[in-house]
Amino acid sequence: MSNLVDGGEFTTEIDEKTTRWSSLLAKATWAVLALGVVVGGILWVAIDGVLGEDLGALAWVMTFSASIALMSIRQMLLAERN
C-alpha cells in the first residue's frame, strides 16, 4: 500500500481548496479569540457587580468554545485525526 507511512498510519492528499479553508479557519480562530477576549474584558469592567463578571466569563467561555469548534473543523478537513 503506497499510502502508508512508517508508523502504519494512512496519509491523504490535501488539495488546494482544503489548504485554503484550513488557512482561513486558523485565521478565523485568531480573530474569534482576539474579539472574544476584548468583549469579555469590556463586559467584565463595564457592567457593575457579579452580573458583569458572569457575562464576561460567559463571553470567554463562548469564545473558547467557538475556537475549539473552528479548529476541530480544520482538523477534520486536514484528516489529522487518529
Side-chain angles (χ1 to χ4, degrees):
M1 293 185 169
S2 63
N3 59 351
L4 285 177
V5 292
D6 292 334
E9 296 179 13
F10 284 99
T11 60
T12 58
E13 293 293 324
I14 299 173
D15 61 349
E16 184 178 331
K17 185 176 179 181
T18 303
T19 304
R20 279 186 290 157
W21 273 105
S22 66
S23 176
L24 180 65
L25 287 170
K27 291 174 187 173
T29 301
W30 282 110
V32 166
L33 280 172
L35 183 65
V37 167
V38 170
V39 168
I42 290 172
L43 288 173
W44 187 290
V45 173
I47 301 174
D48 291 331
V50 176
L51 180 64
E53 294 173 359
D54 288 344
L55 290 177
L58 178 64
W60 291 331
V61 167
M62 290 173 23
T63 297
F64 294 123
S65 297
S67 298
I68 290 169
L70 288 171
M71 292 307 289
S72 296
I73 293 169
R74 180 180 181 268
Q75 291 294 100
M76 288 188 327
L77 285 175
L78 294 176
E80 293 176 350
R81 298 184 327 164
N82 289 329

